[in-house]
Amino acid sequence: MLRVLSGLPELETDIRFHDPVTHALLRRLDAGDRATRTAVEYDGKQHVQRQEQWESDIARREEFEDEEWRIVTLVSKDIYNTPGETVKRLERVLRKRGMMFGPLKDEWRLHFRDRS
């Protein structure tokens, strides 16, 4: 919602990558743009509280890096404490990766309180 209300481009959600032979699900991303290989992931507390999840996330991100994906990882504070900084951060990364979009909007401020 923060991305859309700020005027950032809509991203494909729940991007899935399958094995070309078996069609088994190999990995997925929360949201992203396949053309620019840019993704936005949200990591809740379970991503660091559970050792197995944390280790799996690290390995998965390294696999995406090997394929030249840029993953922006957001956590709760990015959305609920510093949404303005998060919008600027996403804008910088998305533009740098070649995504084209117009000027940003302030509509997000109606729903998100910036505490920075």
Side-chain angles (χ1 to χ4, degrees):
M1 190 169 151
L2 178 63
R3 282 192 336 257
V4 173
L5 292 175
S6 67
L8 291 168
E10 253 186 78
L11 302 174
E12 178 183 350
T13 58
D14 193 27
I15 301 175
R16 295 171 182 246
F17 298 84
H18 296 88
D19 182 284
V21 176
T22 66
H23 305 286
L25 179 65
L26 299 174
R27 55 189 185 258
R28 56 170 295 283
L29 292 165
D30 291 340
D33 178 65
R34 292 177 192 258
T36 62
R37 293 183 185 215
T38 309
V40 178
E41 292 273 284
Y42 177 80
D43 281 4
K45 288 181 183 179
Q46 78 278 10
H47 289 268
V48 291
Q49 289 177 334
R50 293 182 28 223
Q51 182 79 18
E52 184 180 315
Q53 179 71 53
W54 181 52
E55 291 168 351
S56 172
D57 287 347
I58 291 170
R60 185 176 65 88
R61 287 195 175 106
E62 287 179 359
E63 289 174 8
F64 278 111
E65 288 173 8
D66 288 346
E67 295 176 20
E68 299 182 11
W69 275 81
R70 170 63 161 92
I71 298 175
V72 178
T73 304
L74 303 178
V75 295
S76 181
K77 83 161 190 65
D78 296 323
I79 296 168
Y80 300 106
N81 292 354
T82 59
E85 290 175 22
T86 300
V87 168
K88 289 177 191 170
R89 179 175 157 207
L90 290 171
E91 176 189 26
R92 178 179 42 79
V93 171
L94 297 176
R95 289 193 194 278
K96 188 172 184 175
R97 296 293 290 194
M99 293 186 78
M100 309 284 279
F101 50 97
L104 296 182
K105 304 172 190 171
D106 283 333
E107 289 179 42
W108 64 269
R109 293 182 188 278
L110 299 172
H111 303 279
F112 295 89
R113 186 170 151 220
D114 201 325
R115 301 165 200 228
S116 59

